[in-house]
Amino acid sequence: MSRVAASLRLIAAGWALIRADALVPRELEPILPPSARLVGRASRLFAGGAARKGRPGERLARVLERQGPAAIKMGQFLSTRADIFGTAFAEDLSHLKDRLPAFPLDVAKAEIARGLGRPVDTLFADFEPSIAAASLAQAHAATLADGTKVAVKVLRPGVERQVAQDTAALRLAAAVAERLVPASRRLRPREFVEVVIRALDLELDLRFEAAGCAELGEAMKADPYMRAPDVVWDGVGKRFLTLTWAAGLPLSDAAALEQPGLDRKALAEAVTRGFLAQALDHGLFHADLHEGNLFVSAPASIVAVDYGILGRLGPAERKYLAEILYGFLNRDYPRVAAIHFDAGYVPAHQDRDAFAQALRAVGEPVFGRDASDVSMGRLLAQLFEITALFDMALRPELVLLQKTMVTVEGVARRIDPTHDLWAAADPVVRRWIARELSPAAKVREFADEAARAIRALARLAETPPAPAVAVVEPRPARPLLWFLAGAAVASLAFAAGVWLG
């Protein structure tokens, strides 16, 4: 997409934001500098009826929903930054809806037939109209030739082109914001946009989603909390995906929690523990656990669908997460501070004791309150806000982790308003601590390091480094330089002689 086209698309999006009073919202006027207040007042001269409906986050969410998949994805990621935009604004953005009218059944079948290289009925005995449609893809119920009921996801025709246009506009917007709005630099606009674009790129190849579903499904089998559908690999291509049908009702259906025999308390605990077990025990978690992606049945069975976005945590990040939660559970703030410094998340020149004091300011208001009043997502948001004061560079995988934590917390509380998130998290966190930080684990870690050192010494013995040789290079002569200098002096002397003569 050309820069001119991206600029025009950005201008159109800006006009939509102005019409909804979502560019410089009137609610922010008291805290804005005079120049920004002036811009806001001028923009509101062109505001429409939508500008009077809802809070700023709600108005922005409505605009983003109409702007396409890239804008929706950006809004979902912005909802993780309550530390920058405030809790109410982030909460409003977290309710973004991604729904569009379905495209025709014949178009979906033709897309699958192209990918299969043969007619659709060679794989499916029955293929039904769309049951859900979003900006990137839509889903169909179908039946395989052997009678197995499946769900088939098909990308929208031309969606790749639309995403390419949207991402060009996003990159331009990030560059403009970084250059003209210094306050936005804390969000790291360019890096933030690249995370959004990377997530979209992965969602546009459904083979990656199939692989993610299979990988996380294997990990889920180690715990009883959550399950994944099986992948039907014969029905997988770049633009379509086939999974076994998820039993139960989606949590987005009002009837889901009214099923006979459903244990709400156990179900809420399974949502929380399932996510934490994925993140801590396997370093791989479903990063889009909203109600529409969770199918539930009695007494507390959960099947998660839609594996377009997966989060990954390396060993260091998993240790960071577990020890932070463990530290807050035990109110050991110096330990939490030490974890941040040891992991390199907070620069070494910062004051460790002052950082521990700041963490105490975040953690202490949590204790002694009813569990239903305590938000782990809000705690993480405040934690990131505090760490920003100490020049902590927030890594993309931790942003995705916070986004999912906020979503999981909201889902669990809607299932069971009395859900104690900390009590639900406690056994999973303590299990990880006991396994990874026990004396036996330290011995294993020491043995692994010793084995790595021995292998390195063996490689060194096989191919010893070449001896160091000092090479003294004589200073090169510069005959051309001296020639030019001599010529210049001679010319000056000749000119002086002519002038004096």
Side-chain angles (χ1 to χ4, degrees), residues 158-308:
V159 70
E160 292 92 345
R161 182 173 63 255
Q162 182 185 356
V163 168
Q165 293 170 346
D166 289 348
T167 54
L170 278 183
R171 285 191 172 107
L172 179 60
V176 170
E178 197 167 89
R179 183 177 181 85
L180 301 181
V181 187
S184 73
R185 292 170 191 161
R186 185 182 158 204
L187 184 61
R188 298 184 177 181
R190 293 175 191 262
E191 295 178 30
F192 183 85
V193 162
E194 291 306 321
V195 171
V196 173
I197 291 171
R198 178 60 177 162
L200 277 169
D201 286 342
L202 291 176
E203 287 194 72
L204 289 176
D205 190 335
L206 296 182
R207 294 171 299 188
F208 288 123
E209 181 173 342
C213 179
E215 183 182 1
L216 190 51
E218 290 178 5
M220 287 179 182
K221 290 176 182 176
D223 290 299
Y225 308 118
M226 205 177 287
R227 292 184 296 110
D230 294 327
V231 178
V232 180
W233 287 103
D234 286 345
V236 173
K238 183 174 182 180
R239 308 197 82 251
F240 59 95
L241 164 69
T242 307
L243 302 175
T244 54
W245 189 258
L249 294 174
L251 273 173
S252 54
D253 186 335
L257 294 177
E258 304 303 324
Q259 297 178 78
L262 197 74
D263 185 338
R264 287 197 177 198
K265 178 179 173 60
L267 190 67
E269 289 178 347
V271 170
T272 299
R273 290 173 181 168
F275 161 67
L276 285 174
Q278 291 168 28
L280 289 177
D281 292 338
H282 308 289
L284 175 69
F285 60 91
H286 192 305
D288 201 14
L289 289 172
H290 61 74
E291 285 99 331
N293 286 341
L294 295 173
F295 284 68
V296 301
S297 53
S301 174
I302 303 175
V303 180
V305 301
D306 194 351
Y307 292 79

Side-chain angles (χ1 to χ4, degrees), residues 411-447:
V411 169
R413 289 265 166 84
R414 280 188 284 275
I415 294 171
D416 176 15
T418 65
H419 177 61
D420 186 340
L421 197 78
W422 293 95
D426 190 82
V428 178
V429 173
R430 291 186 188 278
R431 179 180 69 183
W432 190 94
I433 293 292
R435 186 180 68 242
E436 301 295 333
L437 300 182
S438 65
K442 293 293 184 184
V443 170
R444 287 197 306 271
E445 184 179 349
F446 177 77

